[in-house]
Amino acid sequence: MNDTDEIKEWQTHDCKHRLAGVLMLDKVAFSYDEENGIVFTAPDFYVENLKYRMVTSFGCRKRPIINEIK
């Protein structure tokens, strides 16, 4: 991780069960509630890699939409 890789907060409602499993495998802490979906913190490069992995390795039909919480 570089000094420029800022940790940001992210949320999603897509592929919740699979995404939660991957986050647990990667040992990334997350929370879930009905309103916000899955919320976790990670740098940009991790989230881009996560979207790619969800399609290629974990059987999602399309890349999940993961939004930054501002």
Side-chain angles (χ1 to χ4, degrees):
M1 199 153 74
N2 298 331
D3 292 334
T4 60
D5 294 333
E6 182 181 346
I7 303 293
K8 298 178 183 175
E9 193 169 23
W10 305 89
Q11 75 175 39
T12 186
H13 283 282
D14 288 352
C15 306
K16 290 180 270 199
H17 291 94
R18 290 182 183 159
L19 186 67
V22 174
L23 291 172
M24 285 187 274
L25 285 173
D26 291 346
K27 298 181 182 171
V28 175
F30 67 93
S31 63
Y32 173 80
D33 66 45
E34 295 274 334
E35 184 179 326
N36 296 319
I38 293 178
V39 177
F40 64 97
T41 57
D44 290 330
F45 73 87
Y46 175 81
V47 175
E48 289 305 314
N49 187 26
L50 178 63
K51 290 177 187 178
Y52 176 77
R53 288 171 53 209
M54 293 302 293
V55 174
T56 58
S57 301
F58 295 100
C60 290
R61 292 182 185 220
K62 61 178 182 141
R63 286 185 178 214
I65 298 170
I66 301 174
N67 299 312
E68 180 182 353
I69 299 174
K70 302 228 177 199

